[in-house]
Amino acid sequence: MTAPLDVSGSATEAHPESVLAGAGKAIQGRSLTRIAWMRLKRDKIALAGGIVVALLILVAIFSSPIISVFGSPPLEFHQDQIDPNTLLPKGFFGGVSGEHLLGVEPVNGRDIFSRIVAGSGISLLIGFLATILSVLIGTTLGVVAGYFGGWVDQVIGRLMDVFLAFPLLVFAIALAGVIPDKAFGLEGNGLRVAMLIFIIGFFSWPSIGRIVRGQTLSLREREFVDAARSLGARHGYILFREVLPNLLAPILVYATLLIPTNILFEAALSFLGVGVNPPTPTWGGMLSEAVRFYTLPHFVLFPGLAIFVTVLAFNLFGDGLRDAFDPRTH
């Protein structure tokens, strides 16, 4: 058996000078948002996606001045740029020049750059507003189903199954064919955009609703929720003050991932001819017109590239947000 160590009293006592030296230093805690931002800054790919998303939003907001400086009106014809014999653009790669940065369309000579910039506003508007509608419906029903459980959860769960099994594309095509010229105080493309937002947003909520329901099932068993119940808090207080604030991070992440899906769906509807009425420029509508001129690569390349870059940027940024708020998913 070894003898106990002989420790002098000076080694076991704290020096008053060292205690006083650290007394003035405040200990700063880190919030979940700050920790997530620190993780996100280390993800260069996600940051690049976020920068591209920010640039796309700025392009959509300031599309009119951008077109006036770098292009020409998106509905303006340039017959002088079209060969009258072949009806194809003159010059290199579809008429690419200083006046027409991405060339012109066959037959009519409309500026492709201007039409892509103008179409970004419609695609992002429908994508964002449809996502907001989906988040509102999905969050409300998901929180109610996860918190109350029982028959309420069963009913909402079966409703989610019905919506997930619904043939949305077929329904959208059928509904677009019977939309009147004027309804609900709207007409023309305004009515079309509103109907697209409603169709895409109303039938896309189950995906985020299931995520919110699962998170709520976990949160309702946490200690702070039990403490609020024991203090006599009502259901409304617990939902809005205890549960929903802890759902903001996953809702933000999955809403970011839902936006590109809605943009793709809008492009698909426009490609099939049931989106915004021509000649209003949309990326899907430009691809639909380009099918007839498959021998002209620039006519298909640029609108397709716009869709590809937008969807990729949102997905990269959304994945980065998900990893930042919950590194266990990485």
Side-chain angles (χ1 to χ4, degrees):
M1 180 179 294
T2 59
L5 296 175
D6 185 15
V7 181
S8 61
S10 61
T12 59
E13 295 176 359
H15 295 284
E17 293 80 4
S18 62
V19 175
L20 293 175
K25 297 180 180 179
I27 300 176
Q28 295 182 353
R30 293 177 180 177
S31 64
L32 177 61
T33 304
R34 186 175 179 183
I35 296 174
W37 170 241
M38 293 174 62
R39 292 177 184 148
L40 184 62
K41 286 193 298 184
R42 293 195 294 265
D43 192 344
K44 304 303 181 184
I45 297 178
L47 280 182
I51 292 172
V52 174
V53 168
L55 291 176
L56 288 169
I57 294 174
L58 290 176
V59 168
I61 294 174
F62 299 104
S63 59
S64 296
I66 291 175
I67 291 173
S68 63
V69 173
F70 297 102
S72 56
L75 302 181
E76 183 178 302
F77 289 4
H78 300 276
Q79 297 296 340
D80 58 317
Q81 302 292 324
I82 302 298
D83 188 335
N85 297 320
T86 62
L87 298 180
L88 301 179
K90 300 177 183 178
F92 170 74
F93 204 67
V96 173
S97 63
E99 296 181 357
H100 306 286
L101 300 179
L102 301 181
V104 296
E105 293 182 347
V107 181
N108 50 49
R110 292 180 297 195
D111 187 78
I112 293 179
F113 172 80
S114 300
R115 291 181 64 77
I116 289 178
V117 172
S120 65
I122 294 177
S123 295
L124 292 180
L125 176 67
I126 294 176
F128 274 101
L129 293 183
T131 300
I132 291 174
L133 179 60
S134 298
V135 167
L136 289 176
I137 299 175
T139 300
T140 302
L141 295 181
V143 167
V144 171
Y147 180 78
F148 290 101
W151 66 270
V152 176
D153 188 19
Q154 292 291 328
V155 171
I156 296 178
R158 300 294 77 78
L159 187 63
M160 291 181 183
D161 294 336
V162 170
F163 273 80
L164 288 172
F166 202 83
L168 179 55
L169 185 60
V170 177
F171 175 77
I173 294 174
L175 185 61
V178 298
I179 294 177
D181 295 332
K182 186 175 182 180
F184 309 110
L186 300 172
E187 58 182 342
N189 281 329
L191 179 60
R192 284 270 177 175
V193 170
M195 290 301 298
L196 288 174
I197 293 171
F198 172 77
I199 292 172
I200 298 174
F202 184 73
F203 288 93
S204 299
W205 67 265
S207 57
I208 195 168
R210 282 189 165 184
I211 294 168
V212 172
R213 172 188 172 274
Q215 295 287 334
T216 306
L217 286 172
S218 175
L219 287 173
R220 74 175 186 179
E221 306 299 333
R222 300 286 292 273
E223 293 81 359
F224 58 88
V225 175
D226 290 337
R229 287 199 194 100
S230 64
L231 292 174
R234 297 179 180 272
H235 294 310
Y237 178 89
I238 297 176
L239 288 175
F240 286 101
R241 299 297 297 272
E242 304 292 346
V243 176
L244 275 179
N246 290 280
L247 291 173
L248 291 181
I251 290 173
L252 176 63
V253 170
Y254 288 99
T256 307
L257 294 172
L258 186 61
I259 291 173
T261 303
N262 293 339
I263 291 176
L264 272 178
F265 194 81
E266 181 275 330
L269 292 178
S270 296
F271 179 82
L272 295 173
V274 293
V276 177
N277 292 323
T280 302
T282 60
W283 292 343
M286 293 179 67
L287 283 177
S288 179
E289 295 175 2
V291 170
R292 297 179 298 151
F293 301 94
Y294 56 88
T295 57
L296 300 177
H298 79 288
F299 200 14
V300 180
L301 174 64
F302 294 126
L305 195 60
I307 297 174
F308 171 77
V309 170
T310 301
V311 173
L312 180 63
F314 272 104
N315 281 327
L316 291 177
F317 184 58
D319 287 339
L321 279 179
R322 180 179 57 192
D323 295 338
F325 280 104
D326 189 3
R328 293 173 299 177
T329 60
H330 185 66

